[in-house]
Each structure stands twice: as structure tokens, then as C-alpha cells.
């Protein structure tokens, strides 16, 4: 894709299509609040079709924070933020509906940095059948 200012992109293969979720910057809005979705038949397509309801999400907590895949359900992970706070929390939302004209999720769990001792922020969580990865913020002083 060209002529797009986007971050934290996630590509999902589901229902024989590739779904690209990304946070775009439009006009004076930062990347944190606007989630758009695109669909294509290939992950290397030059013709990503915009979702009919773009932006599919516009709110605090719309920034991509990962993807959780299981055989039974798929979940999007979103970052929430606050002023000068990196990784305030992650929201895990089950994908209820994903079509070219509809996108609907429901909140399953919110995870804040207290989930692990010694961290001040949590930014990303992704998992598949074999691996789970996460990104946290931990403040340390070096002498």
C-alpha cells in the first residue's frame, strides 16, 4: 500500500482471505485512535480493498497490540494509552464478526502491567499454537 501513514499493522488469514488491520494517522489525529481494515486474496497483494466501514474502530484502545489465534476463536489485542503512559493496558477482544462489510468484537479481558512484577507498561501480546510473545516496559537505573 502506498500513500498511507500507518503503524502496528497486523495481517490475519481467516476465511480464505487476508485481513490487514492497521492504525492510520489522518489529519491531526495520532496513530493511537483510528483502526482501519483492508482485505485481499494474498498477503503480498497490491490491491488491498478498504473495509466498507473504515475506520472500523475509533477510540482509546484502537491501537493494535497483537493477535491471538486458536483453533476455535480469534482475538484482537489492543493497546490503551494515557498521557505520557506507554502501555497502560491491553484489551483482548474476541472477533464476533469479520466480513467485508462488518467487524464486531467483544471485550474478553483487560490486562494491566500488574500482571507481572516489576513492569510499568504492557504494549503487545501475540500467540499462535506454538509461541506467545509480549512486550513490556520496565524502568531500570544504570550506574
Amino acid at each position: 500500500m502506498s500513500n498511507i501513514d500507518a503503524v502496528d499493522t497486523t495481517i490475519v488469514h481467516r476465511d480464505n482471505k487476508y485481513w490487514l488491520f492497521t492504525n492510520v494517522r489522518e489529519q491531526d489525529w495520532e496513530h493511537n485512535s483510528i483502526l482501519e481494515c483492508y482485505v485481499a486474496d494474498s498477503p503480498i497483494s497490491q490491491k488491498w480493498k478498504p473495509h466498507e466501514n473504515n475506520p472500523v474502530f475509533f477510540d482509546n484502545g484502537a491501537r493494535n497490540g497483537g493477535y491471538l489465534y486458536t483453533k476455535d476463536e480469534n482475538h484482537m489485542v489492543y493497546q490503551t494509552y494515557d498521557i505520557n503512559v506507554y502501555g497502560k493496558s491491553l484489551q483482548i477482544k474476541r472477533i464476533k464478526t469479520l466480513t467485508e462489510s462488518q467487524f464486531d468484537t467483544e471485550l474478553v479481558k483487560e490486562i494491566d502491567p500488574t500482571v507481572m512484577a516489576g513492569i510499568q507498561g504492557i504494549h503487545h501480546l501475540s500467540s499462535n499454537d506454538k509461541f506467545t510473545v509480549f512486550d513490556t516496559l520496565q524502568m531500570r537505573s544504570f550506574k
Side-chain angles (χ1 to χ4, degrees), residues 51-102:
H51 194 277
E52 290 180 21
N53 292 320
N54 270 347
V56 293
F57 194 34
F58 183 34
D59 197 1
N60 180 5
R63 187 154 177 172
N64 273 332
Y67 186 77
L68 306 176
Y69 166 80
T70 67
K71 292 179 182 176
D72 299 323
E73 293 185 331
N74 295 295
H75 297 79
M76 297 292 294
V77 179
Y78 300 101
Q79 305 169 35
T80 64
Y81 61 91
D82 206 347
I83 297 171
N84 295 325
V85 176
Y86 172 92
K88 179 183 174 190
S89 70
L90 293 176
Q91 293 181 343
I92 299 174
K93 296 184 179 182
R94 182 177 67 85
I95 299 173
K96 291 171 52 176
T97 307
L98 177 58
T99 67
E100 293 183 35
S101 61
Q102 293 181 307

Side-chain angles (χ1 to χ4, degrees), residues 2-3 6 20-21 28 33 43 45 53 57 60 63-64 75 92 96 101-102 110-111 119 130 142:
S2 58
N3 298 320
L20 184 146
F21 295 92
D28 294 331
S33 302
S45 176
N53 292 320
F57 194 34
N60 180 5
R63 187 154 177 172
N64 273 332
H75 297 79
I92 299 174
K96 291 171 52 176
S101 61
Q102 293 181 307
E110 187 156 357
I111 302 170
I119 66 170
K130 296 181 182 179
F142 294 95

Side-chain angles (χ1 to χ4, degrees), residues 4 20 39 67 93 102 105 112 117 127 131:
I4 186 170
L20 184 146
V39 63
Y67 186 77
K93 296 184 179 182
Q102 293 181 307
T105 62
D112 65 33
S127 185
F131 302 101

